[in-house]
Amino acid sequence: MLALRRVQPWAVGFAQRSATKQVALASTAVDTDGSHSQSSGEPVAPQKHQSRAIRTRRPRISLQHPREWNRPLAFGVLPAFDEALKVIKEDSMALKDEVTALEGAIAREKETPQPDQHALRLMEDKLRILEVQSEINFPQVRWKCANGMADMSKAVDRHLLEQRWRKEGALDLLMERIHQMKVVPDVLPDIHPSLDLRVNFPKVKSNAGLQATVSKAVYEHVEPGVFLLPEQTVEPPKIYTTVFHPEERLYTLLMIDPVTDFPDETNQTFQTYLHWLQPNIPLSSVSLSPVPNLNTHTAYIPPHPQRGTDYHRYTILLLPQHSRLSIHMVAKDKRTGFDVRAFMEKHGLDKNVGGVHMWREVWSEGVPALYKEILKTAEPKFGRMPKADRYGDFRGKKRYV
């Protein structure tokens, strides 16, 4: 009995091209012989090859283009795989029974006249763990989270995304940059991010002339610590967040130019400049991204690095609040000398958790327009501090008298 062998697609294509080439050679031979040739004096026009778009094998998968998980192996092909799925399902059902029993215990404890708050916290923590464990081993759950189709209303999906953020390099890169570039401790003494904060600015279309041209429609992700052009940051960025708590909490957004970057001419020193302030931002794991309505309090003023200064480290903080805050708007002429730590202490903001992002900018040809059109002031120009003349007292005096 003959066994059929599956031919690879590249092999089929090679066979087809070889057959076409053989037919062409045979046709040329017939024409050379002269028995079937047409008018030999007419020039033969070269054939034009039409380029075809190369389609990727992997389809687009996201929340906008969802797809269902398919088994890699059909039933019966590998009995060990079928048995593994069976064991995972049985374990999940047992854990869900524990979840149901624990939910009943929590409800009964809450109905008592004086519920034990410590016992309630322990049971709620155990409930969250059981909810994750009952679903985390299913391959379809992990596949959806890995392909951008996580359901953030589910505890297991939130857990998987948080572990991916913490362990696959995104958080490590952020912490490396904010410590390398001294955002910690120049802005905050320390910070341990508890949410994923991402920033998008317009993409640069052309940087050939004196002033760069940016796209108003195409935004791109900004990696922490990279250099941006002032022309890119004229408009407020799009802020994306991935929050890992299901309940809604309030946050305050701050964007500053740190204390060692913004010059203070009067006192011949440096000071902090407040670019943006938005309190009482409600966020949860199912909040919309990008975050809407972020320019309704202290309006965004674009970065404007002064000519002659070193690079500026523009920092965005997203800090959790304990309650709703009543904060006065900060006028344009009152934004210099902003004390971040005193502001956080006054309003009770948590300085150890939240979100952080930063990038760098230097002066470019687009900065004078920012001073003229937005800040309505003359552009300052700075230079290096003059060196002290150690021999100034001796100049002009006779040396040999």
Side-chain angles (χ1 to χ4, degrees):
M1 181 176 181
L2 297 177
L4 296 178
R5 182 172 62 90
R6 183 179 177 183
V7 182
Q8 296 294 333
W10 63 267
V12 175
F14 179 76
Q16 291 177 349
R17 288 193 298 271
S18 300
T20 304
K21 186 174 181 181
Q22 291 176 0
V23 171
L25 291 174
S27 175
T28 305
V30 171
D31 288 345
T32 306
D33 185 61
S35 57
H36 293 86
S37 63
Q38 298 178 358
S39 57
S40 59
E42 297 180 359
V44 179
Q47 296 182 352
K48 295 182 179 180
H49 297 281
Q50 295 181 353
S51 60
R52 292 182 298 174
I54 300 176
R55 299 181 63 183
T56 57
R57 287 171 173 255
R58 182 178 175 85
R60 295 177 60 187
I61 305 176
S62 65
L63 285 176
Q64 292 75 25
H65 304 86
R67 293 178 67 89
E68 291 297 325
W69 177 78
N70 295 318
R71 285 174 54 104
L73 296 172
F75 286 103
V77 174
L78 187 63
F81 181 73
D82 300 336
E83 187 66 24
L85 291 182
K86 181 180 177 181
V87 170
I88 290 172
K89 187 175 181 180
E90 292 175 353
D91 181 66
S92 174
M93 293 176 65
L95 289 171
K96 287 181 178 179
D97 291 339
E98 291 186 40
V99 168
T100 304
L102 190 57
E103 287 176 342
I106 292 174
R108 288 191 297 271
E109 182 65 29
K110 288 182 177 179
E111 291 174 357
T112 59
Q114 293 182 349
D116 188 347
Q117 297 298 329
H118 178 67
L120 273 176
R121 283 195 297 270
L122 291 178
M123 287 191 291
E124 288 172 351
D125 291 342
K126 184 178 179 180
L127 179 62
R128 284 192 290 268
I129 294 173
L130 289 175
E131 287 177 346
V132 172
Q133 289 180 341
S134 65
E135 298 283 343
I136 198 169
N137 292 321
F138 283 114
Q140 60 267 32
V141 173
R142 291 180 172 270
W143 181 83
K144 285 187 176 182
C145 290
N147 287 277
M149 294 189 295
D151 184 357
M152 294 300 286
S153 63
K154 296 181 178 179
V156 62
D157 290 17
R158 294 195 299 270
H159 174 79
L160 287 172
L161 285 190
E162 184 175 5
Q163 292 303 306
R164 181 180 180 183
W165 172 60
R166 292 186 180 278
K167 295 183 178 180
E168 293 190 6
L171 180 58
D172 292 337
L173 176 63
L174 173 66
M175 297 302 290
E176 175 188 297
R177 298 290 168 84
I178 64 176
H179 281 84
Q180 219 175 39
M181 298 168 191
K182 302 296 188 295
V183 173
V184 174
D186 288 351
V187 177
L188 293 177
D190 198 9
I191 189 170
H192 302 279
S194 58
L195 60 89
D196 185 11
L197 172 63
R198 302 178 301 279
V199 175
N200 284 21
F201 273 111
K203 186 177 181 179
V204 177
K205 293 171 61 177
S206 173
N207 195 18
L210 294 177
Q211 190 170 347
T213 304
V214 299
S215 172
K216 293 183 179 180
V218 181
Y219 280 65
E220 62 181 357
H221 170 67
V222 176
E223 183 180 292
V226 301
F227 278 95
L228 296 181
L229 296 172
E231 291 86 347
Q232 287 180 266
T233 57
V234 174
E235 297 295 331
K238 293 183 179 180
I239 303 295
Y240 293 82
T241 60
T242 302
V243 183
F244 305 109
H245 51 78
E247 69 279 3
E248 190 175 87
R249 300 178 189 174
L250 296 177
Y251 288 82
T252 293
L253 182 141
L254 288 169
M255 176 178 162
I256 58 170
D257 191 358
V259 66
T260 57
D261 296 350
F262 193 88
D264 181 3
E265 285 186 86
T266 305
N267 300 315
Q268 294 295 307
T269 183
F270 292 88
Q271 58 188 337
T272 301
Y273 187 87
L274 175 66
H275 285 270
W276 201 8
L277 171 60
Q278 183 70 38
N280 304 318
I281 304 170
L283 291 177
S284 70
S285 58
V286 294
S287 297
L288 297 176
S289 278
V291 183
N293 303 323
L294 290 181
N295 213 22
T296 60
H297 192 269
T298 300
Y300 174 85
I301 289 182
H304 44 277
Q306 295 79 10
R307 188 197 299 253
T309 59
D310 203 354
Y311 66 76
H312 293 237
R313 300 162 297 167
Y314 295 100
T315 306
I316 291 182
L317 300 172
L318 197 57
L319 304 171
Q321 306 171 191
H322 296 292
S323 60
R324 180 168 289 273
L325 300 177
S326 178
I327 301 175
H328 296 291
M329 295 177 60
V330 184
K332 284 186 179 181
D333 56 347
K334 302 294 184 181
R335 300 197 184 194
T336 55
F338 183 79
D339 192 335
V340 179
R341 301 187 187 190
F343 176 84
M344 295 172 62
E345 189 73 24
K346 178 181 178 181
H347 298 286
L349 300 177
D350 198 335
K351 59 186 177 182
N352 291 322
V353 294
V356 61
H357 200 283
M358 62 85 59
W359 68 92
R360 294 178 287 175
E361 292 187 25
V362 294
W363 184 90
S364 73
E365 295 292 340
V367 174
L370 297 176
Y371 275 93
K372 180 180 179 181
E373 299 172 5
I374 297 177
L375 300 174
K376 309 294 184 183
T377 59
E379 180 193 5
K381 298 179 182 180
F382 299 94
R384 295 182 179 274
M385 294 291 293
K387 293 183 179 180
D389 189 359
R390 296 180 293 175
Y391 306 103
D393 296 337
F394 301 97
R395 297 185 187 280
K397 294 182 179 182
K398 295 182 179 180
R399 291 177 288 180
Y400 303 109
V401 175

